[in-house]
Amino acid sequence: MVDASKDVDGSFPGEKKITVVFVLGGPGSGKGTQCANIVKHFGFTHLSAGDLLRAEIKSGSENGTMIQNMIKEGKIVPSEVTIKLLQKAMLESGNDKFLIDGFPRNEENRAAFENVTKIEPEFVLFFVCPEEEMERRLLNRNQGRDDDNTETIRKRFKVFVESSLPVVEHYDSKGKVRKIDAAKPVDEVFEAVKAIFSPFNVEAV
Ligand SMILES: Nc1ncnc2c1ncn2[C@@H]1O[C@H](COP(=O)(O)OP(=O)(O)OP(=O)(O)O)[C@@H](O)[C@H]1O
Ligand SMILES: Nc1ccn([C@@H]2O[C@H](COP(=O)(O)O)[C@@H](O)[C@H]2O)c(=O)n1
Ligand SMILES: [Mg+2]
């Protein structure tokens, strides 16, 4: 149950500000993998919009079938649904630092999140990786995802280029994008990520 006495961004008036980093990049660029590392080192809570939507399907929610169909087609679920899930997860976490992975995925996601929560991201961590490498990774992922097949992967790439890259460009024009070469091995990618997160270094491991 969401605490209605709090502000929309989950804080009480005068409470410490919420820090949000959006983590974007093509399907299979390694967002989830690197977020797990960031959580361990920098004390952020990782919220993957895709994971929250998949959990919503499993929960038997009334939106489950709609979400399942959209994910199979690589389409973007209406912002209202995804933002409610993100807000609930933020409030329930008790944390004030969030990695929001795979969101905002299009202009509608971006504008709606800004309007509803009034939160501006600290920065956008953007993983850059060639499509051939991302496709290879997704086809080898073996997590039983309905959308990790060649047909859906191609649709996801198209949506990424047409709908998600403009969001990255929006934040780039505000000087907020931190670009990472994600085609390198996991450890090397994390070295580059660590350099960006060093200001958040509370208890480095
Ligand atoms: N730098 C890397 N080099 C090689 N394989 C990687 C690398 N990073 C992640 N992987 C592997 O690639 C697959 C996809 O990674 P991950 O799930 O982190 O990507 P993602 O960006 O979250 O994808 P999606 O958008 O589909 O959720 C996983 O099997 C992961 O182990
Ligand atoms: N903001 C979002 C994020 C994801 N989706 C849907 O989930 C699929 C999987 O997302 P991953 O980040 O886990 O790859 C994605 O292809 C979309 O169908 C969404 O609608 N909105
Ligand atoms: Mg992921």
Side-chain angles (χ1 to χ4, degrees):
M1 182 79 172
V2 172
D3 184 349
S5 66
K6 289 185 174 180
D7 286 349
V8 277
D9 70 354
S11 64
F12 291 107
E15 203 178 61
K16 205 161 83 176
K17 102 170 176 56
I18 285 183
T19 300
V20 163
V21 173
F22 289 144
V23 182
L24 299 177
S29 57
K31 301 180 294 295
T33 303
Q34 295 300 329
C35 283
N37 285 333
I38 299 165
V39 165
K40 277 191 222 149
H41 287 71
F42 299 103
F44 278 70
T45 291
H46 172 211
L47 300 176
S48 154
D51 287 350
L52 290 170
L53 290 166
R54 284 183 285 274
E56 187 69 358
I57 297 170
K58 278 208 184 122
S59 77
S61 130
E62 57 179 349
N63 286 322
T65 307
M66 177 274 288
I67 297 171
Q68 190 165 31
N69 291 336
M70 297 201 81
I71 288 181
K72 263 194 196 145
E73 288 304 311
K75 291 183 179 161
I76 309 298
V77 172
S79 302
E80 189 197 340
V81 173
T82 314
I83 291 171
K84 273 196 189 129
L85 295 173
L86 285 169
Q87 281 186 300
K88 183 165 178 280
M90 289 169 84
L91 287 175
E92 286 174 357
S93 75
N95 201 349
D96 57 8
K97 293 190 295 181
F98 301 95
L99 299 167
I100 303 195
D101 159 5
F103 185 98
R105 242 357 192 264
N106 61 12
E107 182 55 24
E108 191 217 0
N109 273 183
R110 187 197 65 73
F113 186 82
E114 207 173 290
N115 287 337
V116 171
T117 68
K118 312 292 176 208
I119 295 171
E120 260 284 311
E122 201 70 19
F123 59 86
V124 175
L125 188 64
F126 177 46
F127 292 111
V128 182
C129 193
E131 283 192 0
E132 313 82 72
E133 172 65 12
M134 295 194 288
E135 182 165 359
R136 207 170 15 249
R137 291 179 187 178
L138 293 175
L139 292 174
N140 286 319
R141 180 156 56 180
N142 289 326
Q143 285 179 359
R145 277 178 52 165
D146 283 352
D147 55 351
D148 280 351
N149 58 77
T150 305
E151 196 187 338
T152 311
I153 287 169
R154 297 280 155 84
K155 290 178 182 170
R156 291 161 69 196
F157 285 165
K158 191 165 187 288
V159 168
F160 173 68
V161 170
E162 290 177 358
S163 303
S164 307
L165 281 181
V167 174
V168 177
E169 281 156 16
H170 167 87
Y171 286 116
D172 202 25
S173 73
K174 300 176 108 185
K176 289 206 163 193
V177 174
R178 309 287 179 267
K179 209 182 274 190
I180 299 280
D181 177 359
K184 294 180 176 167
V186 173
D187 291 353
E188 287 182 35
V189 176
F190 190 54
E191 285 306 310
V193 168
K194 265 205 278 197
I196 289 167
F197 276 83
S198 56
F200 297 97
N201 201 353
V202 276
E203 44 189 13
V205 180

